[in-house]
Amino acid sequence: VQLQASGGGLVQPGGSLRLSCAASGSFLSIDAVGWYRQAQGKQRELVAFVNSGGVTNYADSVKGRFTISRDNARNTVYLQMNSLKPEDTAVYYCNAHGRRIPGLMFNSWGQGTQVTVSS
């Protein structure tokens, strides 16, 4: 299962971006998708995730500013990022896990997309 992350870029503080994570390949279902980020010199951290039931969770640092959503028909998950701050600058990665065939799971990572928040 391949994940294609896109939507990063350079934005001024207070601005918005929407990241997309599109899944392709052969699979039965996607159980959960998460967005992670890794700032330079720091460990990768979970930003937000959504499971197959639509339950979402967010890191405290992004609550109220970021929204994760999924379009099951398009096998795509979005991360809407508003009120961006310089500390949101990082490479953002999506991760998905689910079932390829009964009894065989998958866990895939996208290639990362750079988000830079700077004036």
Side-chain angles (χ1 to χ4, degrees):
V1 179
Q2 295 78 43
L3 301 181
Q4 180 69 41
S6 61
L10 172 64
V11 64
Q12 292 186 342
S16 299
L17 284 174
R18 189 177 79 157
L19 306 183
S20 299
C21 177
S24 62
S26 178
F27 54 91
L28 287 179
S29 64
I30 297 176
D31 294 338
V33 178
W35 280 100
Y36 294 74
R37 67 186 181 188
Q38 187 166 19
Q40 195 167 5
K42 295 187 177 181
Q43 290 188 332
R44 190 173 297 189
E45 63 174 352
L46 177 64
V47 176
F49 83 86
V50 58
N51 68 13
S52 58
V55 176
T56 60
N57 199 7
Y58 299 90
D60 288 342
S61 59
V62 306
K63 282 181 180 176
R65 300 188 297 121
F66 291 11
T67 303
I68 190 169
S69 61
R70 59 191 292 171
D71 183 339
N72 292 329
R74 297 176 183 269
N75 293 321
T76 300
V77 170
Y78 304 98
L79 185 67
Q80 179 66 43
M81 307 186 295
N82 298 329
S83 302
L84 283 161
K85 304 175 181 180
E87 51 264 43
D88 294 318
T89 295
V91 178
Y92 284 69
Y93 301 88
C94 59
N95 169 267
H97 62 86
R99 295 171 177 78
R100 291 192 65 187
I101 60 175
L104 181 63
M105 308 297 288
F106 73 87
N107 189 327
S108 298
W109 288 89
Q111 82 284 10
T113 183
Q114 175 71 47
V115 172
T116 302
V117 185
S118 175
S119 55

